[in-house]
Amino acid sequence: MADKQDDDAMYTINEGDYVVLKRGDIFKAVQIQSRKKMAFEKQWFFLDNAVGHLYGTTFEILPGGSLQPQKQKDALSSTDAMEAGTDNRNIVDDGKSQKLTRDDIETLKEQGLKGQEIIQQLIDNSSTFRDKTEYAQDKYIKKKKKKYESTVSILKPTCRILALMYHGREPGKICHLRYDTLAQMLTLANIHAGSKVLVFETCAGLVLGAVMERMGGYGSVIQMYPGGGPVRAGVESFGFPPPFHDTLHDFPICQVNALLAGTLDTSAKDPNTADATHPHVAAEETATQPATVQRDGPEEASMDTNASGHCGDQRVDEERERGKEAKAELKRAKQEQRRKRLEAAAAQLEGRNADGLVIASRFHPCPVLMSLLRFLAPSRPFVVYSQYKEPLVDCFTKLKEQGGTVNLRLTDTWLRHYQVLPNRTHPVLLMSGGGGYLLSGTTVATEQSAPATSAADLSQEPAPKRLKASES
Amino acid sequence: MSFVEYSDIIQDGDVAIVYLGHDSMMPIKVQHGAQTQTRYGAIRHSTDLIGQRYGLKVTCTKGGWVHVLHPTPELWTVTLPHRTQILYTTDISVITMMLELKPGSVVCESGTGSGSLSHAILRTVAPTGHLHTVEFHQQRAEKAAEEFREHRVDHLVTVRNQDVCKEGFGVTGVADAVFLDIPSPWEAVGHAKAAMKRHGGRVCSFSPCIEQVQRTCEALAKHSFQEISTMEVLLRTHDVRTVSLPLPDFGPDDTAQKKETPSKQAVFMLKTTTPPREIPGHTGYLTFATKPRT
């Protein structure tokens, strides 16, 4: 059916795709590149054979590093036929129950035995396996599977998968933002298609990508960035189609005050890049000069007359000129591009009618929040993430003093996973210690003469208790 | 106004949220000539609301004031009239992300209940997605459909009054995600699978009791669902407080460098947070799974 083919196209792995490798609970975001060796979970392989297969496929890693789609799972997991004990009172842990040595196992691996087969060997050579209870056998097999199965699944990237990945692999890069906290942020900020959202983050682009995913390519996202340029490595991992990037703008926060004051000059040279490009251009020029001279060198040498030597010099000069011209053109084009981007972003911000604000960075959130709130329309949500609670207490206090916001809430979420198995259901042993804190609220129309206390403004803080008079 | 798109000006027929103070809000239907009574006096819709900007401060007849906010699914969740126990934003947020919902997603849900999650789903899948929601209680199904119309989201949702365990969701092979919040979710797992796209998708079941979770996980495994994972998420609120702790008097201290005034009782002021007296400790367990390609 034509439909079937079209549908499949959407779910097929292509070269150049950004994907996520998965084994068990371990994820890694990579790009499919032919003949590129991938390292994942102590194994090395090539993704070439994955191209053309469907997302979600699990592959066997063959010796040599090529991938092969995994066939139907064998019934290793069924332990019904195996005999089992009733408890562990007679099982002695002397480290000698497994007869196979490390070398034996290595040999088996080299012989090309699949994970399933190695595990079967381990079971057969374990003197205590038969005495374990069924549950212990189950646990043993699961553990060995984790260690010896050499499979990898290839998944389409989603916010859920990338958030899990970053939190598990590189939490420091995302300010220790746990995935459920990110989930709260996206919902509390009412991120949806068609809105205009401001994002300030130093979470490797994960938060930005998550916001973009929830906007579906509709509306616009303006990334406010500190320093020289926006960091967006994480956004690539989402594998958005090109039109999505048209909705993404960026604006340097060092220009925010100018924009708010109405004095932003987009034609001015960006102070960060002006100094940077000049030495570069100079260096490039000097680098090309010897090259051009060298190229003409042998030609010069082959000519004997003065006249031809003079022609050679002229050619060198012309080449040099053209080189300089090209460089200058490129620089001008880039500057023009940068200026256009800045203008476009400024146009989005000037109206001060953004629909949402999301802040998640290693910077102290207070100044960022107080400054960027001014770009929000009234009756719109904002969410601030901080790894620590105190900076958000500061934000809360400042917001209360200033007015202009309601529904302020300082929260964090507690997340617990469960193992659910017959007669073995319980919370998982290790819990995530902390996932960061959130401050959320809604803007309201600001008024000059709004007094701090009023009948309707039920302060969230009850008055501090009056102290009893001292009796000394 | 709509629950899936912001607008700036309050209009006749809108649903707006009146913010009275912390933890005190109520929804109103804006109508020419109507009045809403609050503890601060009356709000006159025609003069105070219609044509004004969302977010404005309205001074009520008795002199106190309120703010009028644009509705969002989050504000709706805490102000909607309950017909059943509802899902709150904390669980809704995790469900939205773990089901990988986004614009264009097609979602099946049962039971509709009071529509708390439904509104959040609609906001996320708009403008190109769709929600198929099933509710076996006739009045609740009708009330939900009425609300979706009032909230200008009815083009994105189909409400069916039937029993999902017996008749399924009314569609097959179209859903990217399925959500179950019913007493016996294990009876609907097969229907969930049928409603989902052949290529695969995500499923979530919400149950307050662990026994329900166990039966559901078993059913999911039997139907070849993968990545079965159960969790719970709780919200902890931190109330900001300025606290003064009295410092005890140990008597005059000759060795002290500074001369202290013994008559004045010293205090230590600090800004901190305290947990509320009681926190919602449990709502339900969330079980997620992935349907593989079939």
Side-chain angles (χ1 to χ4, degrees), chain B residues 157-277:
Chain B
V157 58
T158 306
V159 182
R160 289 182 176 85
N161 176 214
Q162 62 196 47
D163 181 350
V164 70
C165 298
K166 297 206 171 69
E167 302 155 75
F169 291 91
V171 288
T172 49
V174 300
D176 297 296
V178 173
F179 178 78
L180 295 168
D181 179 4
I182 56 177
S184 312
W186 54 91
E187 291 179 12
V189 169
H191 291 296
K193 193 174 181 187
M196 289 169 82
K197 284 183 176 151
R198 200 173 52 90
H199 303 284
R202 296 279 291 164
V203 70
C204 173
S205 174
F206 176 86
S207 294
C209 303
I210 199 71
E211 294 87 351
Q212 293 170 303
V213 171
Q214 288 176 303
R215 291 181 76 169
T216 306
C217 286
E218 217 182 294
L220 287 168
K222 274 214 176 78
H223 281 87
S224 314
F225 280 87
Q226 292 165 0
E227 261 190 287
I228 303 171
S229 163
T230 302
M231 65 189 74
E232 67 175 336
V233 61
L234 304 183
L235 186 73
R236 292 195 313 184
T237 313
H238 304 271
D239 292 336
V240 178
R241 293 273 179 277
T242 306
V243 168
S244 53
L245 304 171
L247 294 169
D249 177 17
F250 292 99
D253 188 357
D254 293 327
T255 60
Q257 290 186 330
K258 272 195 248 172
K259 255 258 163 109
E260 286 164 2
T261 44
S263 53
K264 200 168 182 193
Q265 193 174 37
V267 288
F268 186 88
M269 300 282 280
L270 81 117
K271 196 138 200 126
T272 181
T273 66
T274 62
R277 205 106 176 278

Side-chain angles (χ1 to χ4, degrees), chain A residues 15-273:
Chain A
E15 166 126 12
D17 276 359
Y18 286 93
V19 305
V20 178
L21 307 175
K22 171 185 189 294
R23 181 194 294 172
D25 289 326
I26 313 291
F27 301 89
K28 183 173 181 180
V30 298
Q31 189 184 17
I32 308 258
Q33 285 169 329
S34 63
R35 291 183 309 231
K36 182 163 183 217
K37 207 173 202 180
M38 289 293 165
F40 180 59
E41 288 299 278
K42 294 195 193 132
Q43 292 201 287
W44 290 263
F45 48 89
F46 300 92
L47 293 172
D48 298 53
N49 290 1
V51 175
H53 287 278
L54 296 165
Y55 277 103
T57 309
T58 302
F59 297 88
E60 193 81 53
I61 303 171
L62 303 172
S66 59
L67 296 180
Q68 189 185 74
Q70 195 187 39
K71 280 138 206 159
Q72 270 304 319
K73 287 199 168 136
D74 300 317
L76 182 68
S77 37
S78 93
T79 51
D80 296 331
M82 299 189 209
E83 58 172 302
T86 47
D87 55 42
N88 65 7
R89 70 183 80 196
N90 293 322
I91 300 181
V92 177
D93 184 10
D94 55 8
K96 297 192 196 133
S97 32
Q98 178 54 248
K99 299 301 169 222
L100 294 178
T101 63
R102 276 195 74 111
D103 292 332
D104 291 334
I105 298 171
E106 281 307 307
T107 317
L108 291 177
K109 272 193 193 167
E110 275 158 36
Q111 283 174 355
L113 251 62
K114 284 205 205 126
Q116 307 265 48
E117 293 158 350
I118 295 179
I119 295 168
Q120 191 58 56
Q121 287 284 323
L122 287 167
I123 292 174
D124 294 340
N125 284 284
S126 161
S127 58
T128 51
F129 189 83
R130 273 182 337 212
D131 302 324
K132 291 182 197 270
T133 63
E134 244 183 77
Y135 297 155
Q137 287 177 346
D138 218 18
K139 199 170 173 181
Y140 180 92
I141 292 172
K142 274 205 182 100
K143 191 170 161 195
K144 295 306 174 192
K145 261 193 181 155
K146 226 177 163 181
K147 195 168 179 191
Y148 291 107
E149 260 188 356
S150 49
T151 58
V152 61
S153 304
I154 299 188
L155 309 176
K156 209 159 201 213
T158 64
C159 170
R160 169 183 76 96
I161 292 169
L162 292 170
L164 283 167
M165 180 192 82
Y166 271 105
H167 183 70
R169 277 184 103 83
E170 297 168 304
K173 274 199 174 162
I174 55 168
C175 304
H176 295 263
L177 172 67
R178 200 175 55 208
Y179 45 93
D180 59 303
T181 310
L182 176 61
Q184 303 298 317
M185 287 166 73
L186 296 169
T187 298
L188 288 170
N190 193 17
I191 307 294
H192 63 276
S195 41
K196 186 195 296 190
V197 181
L198 267 52
V199 177
F200 179 90
E201 63 114 295
T202 59
C203 296
L206 174 65
V207 173
L208 183 59
V211 168
M212 284 173 74
E213 186 182 273
R214 292 279 273 262
M215 310 241 321
Y218 299 92
S220 61
V221 182
I222 302 135
Q223 183 188 10
M224 313 295 287
Y225 61 90
V231 175
R232 285 182 193 159
V235 177
E236 262 185 3
S237 307
F238 280 80
F240 292 130
F244 271 51
H245 291 93
D246 297 336
T247 64
L248 181 57
H249 299 84
D250 48 78
F251 192 87
I253 54 168
C254 59
Q255 304 271 41
V256 162
N257 282 337
L259 184 61
L260 287 170
T263 58
L264 178 70
D265 180 9
T266 52
S267 57
K269 277 207 172 82
D270 187 353
N272 286 333
T273 52

Side-chain angles (χ1 to χ4, degrees), chain A residues 332-370:
Chain A
R332 271 197 297 274
K334 274 205 170 144
Q335 274 185 347
E336 180 60 25
Q337 224 181 40
R338 207 176 289 126
R339 191 189 66 78
K340 280 216 171 96
R341 286 186 69 84
L342 193 65
E343 247 179 26
Q348 292 273 338
L349 293 167
E350 257 156 8
R352 306 210 196 179
N353 56 5
D355 297 314
L357 171 62
V358 177
I359 297 172
S361 78
R362 60 180 189 276
F363 289 84
H364 196 296
C366 224
V368 184
L369 176 62
M370 303 316 284

